[in-house]
Amino acid sequence: MMAKLKKGFVWLGLGFVVLFAARLGYGYLSGPAGSSSSFPSGSSNQEFQTSARNYASEKVDKGAGQPAATDQKYEKIASLNSLTRHFDQDEPRVRTLVKDQRGLIQFEQRFGLAGNRRLNLVIGVPPEQFDTAIEKIQVIGTITSIRIDKTDKTNEYKSLNAKKASLEKTIQGLTALKGRSGQIDELINLESKILEIENEIQSLGVTLGEFDEENEFCTIRFSLLEETTRVSSISLAHRLKVAFYWTVQYYAILLVSLCSGSLLILAVVTLAEKLKWLPALIDKIDKQH
């Protein structure tokens, strides 16, 4: 009897040790310790907004029997987001790439402290260098998103030119009126109108200048986000304590569940054994009556 009791305690102790070791190992594998990635606040992949606008052009051949080739004006924008654990090395790589591709940094936004930094750049690159620049910039860090949009601006360009030509004709007509006699207030209103139209023509000239072939660029919006790896240290004593309390709690629940289940099975078996005599007892009672 004592041998069986000792054997039972040995099995109970072995089960406790196995469960304790499993919980301790789980803490090392998936607990808060170890490496965990963290990202800077506001590090979503939403595009940052800037006022930089670039336009490019290309010859469009309409084929035989059609009008001569014309310039198609378009805006091409690539938006890329990248994560890096080597911010100090990758930032100079981006700037070197811009220089190598004959590009221009038109907007720069840099914020955050070490371990939590972000660099936003708007890069203008010549149209013929656009695809190469996109290909090379993707190897900097780990690209998390990329989007390329191309919008035809030919009609807008033609509309602006037509509007400018119309305003120039209008100002020519108004200027011719300055030589005629009239009341002072009428002449003042005429000068004001001429000045207003001249300002509008100047504004249109600036906008049309963005389409100038000498200043053609395509746009790359690039965000470089610093990804940090933080290692949190938990002492072995704390791990043992947590694993021990957890094992005691759940091992007790397991033993209670097993005992309850065993008692329930024993009760059912006992009841079934007693019920075997019930039909014979009923038959005996019927014969006596």
Side-chain angles (χ1 to χ4, degrees), residues 101-154:
Q101 301 302 314
R102 296 184 288 114
L104 176 68
I105 296 178
Q106 300 173 319
F107 172 85
E108 179 175 341
Q109 183 184 57
R110 194 177 191 277
F111 57 90
L113 300 176
N116 191 34
R117 291 172 289 183
R118 177 169 183 163
L119 176 67
N120 292 332
L121 295 176
V122 174
I123 306 165
V125 296
E128 63 273 14
Q129 300 295 123
F130 182 80
D131 292 335
T132 303
I134 293 299
E135 181 181 346
K136 291 186 176 182
I137 206 168
Q138 290 186 64
V139 302
I140 298 177
T142 302
I143 293 295
T144 59
S145 69
I146 180 171
R147 173 178 173 178
I148 299 176
D149 298 303
K150 182 178 180 180
T151 307
D152 185 17
K153 294 289 182 177
T154 307

Side-chain angles (χ1 to χ4, degrees), residues 47-188:
E47 297 174 7
F48 55 94
Q49 299 298 320
T50 66
S51 58
R53 302 185 67 181
N54 293 320
Y55 302 104
S57 62
E58 61 182 355
K59 295 292 183 181
V60 180
D61 189 357
K62 296 186 177 181
Q66 299 293 328
T70 59
D71 281 343
Q72 180 199 27
K73 301 294 184 179
Y74 64 90
E75 184 179 34
K76 201 170 186 179
I77 301 174
S79 302
L80 301 96
N81 290 276
S82 182
L83 293 176
T84 179
R85 293 183 179 178
H86 309 285
F87 193 89
D88 292 324
Q89 289 78 29
D90 286 339
E91 181 181 358
R93 290 177 63 195
V94 177
R95 300 184 187 278
T96 301
L97 184 148
V98 174
K99 184 178 179 180
D100 292 343
Q101 301 302 314
R102 296 184 288 114
L104 176 68
I105 296 178
Q106 300 173 319
F107 172 85
E108 179 175 341
Q109 183 184 57
R110 194 177 191 277
F111 57 90
L113 300 176
N116 191 34
R117 291 172 289 183
R118 177 169 183 163
L119 176 67
N120 292 332
L121 295 176
V122 174
I123 306 165
V125 296
E128 63 273 14
Q129 300 295 123
F130 182 80
D131 292 335
T132 303
I134 293 299
E135 181 181 346
K136 291 186 176 182
I137 206 168
Q138 290 186 64
V139 302
I140 298 177
T142 302
I143 293 295
T144 59
S145 69
I146 180 171
R147 173 178 173 178
I148 299 176
D149 298 303
K150 182 178 180 180
T151 307
D152 185 17
K153 294 289 182 177
T154 307
N155 290 335
E156 180 180 340
Y157 175 71
K158 291 180 178 179
S159 177
L160 290 172
N161 270 318
K163 185 176 181 181
K164 183 181 179 182
S166 176
L167 289 173
E168 288 174 343
K169 289 182 179 179
T170 301
I171 204 170
Q172 288 176 2
L174 292 175
T175 302
L177 294 176
K178 292 173 64 177
R180 299 182 182 181
S181 61
Q183 298 181 3
I184 294 178
D185 58 342
E186 292 178 345
L187 293 176
I188 292 175

Side-chain angles (χ1 to χ4, degrees), residues 10-28:
V10 169
W11 281 108
L12 287 174
L14 183 60
F16 184 89
V17 170
V18 171
L19 193 60
F20 175 80
R23 177 61 182 85
L24 186 63
Y26 175 81
Y28 273 104

Side-chain angles (χ1 to χ4, degrees), residues 263-280:
L263 290 175
L264 180 61
I265 293 173
L266 180 61
V268 171
V269 172
T270 303
L271 181 60
E273 290 291 337
K274 290 184 178 181
L275 290 178
K276 287 181 180 180
W277 301 98
L278 186 59

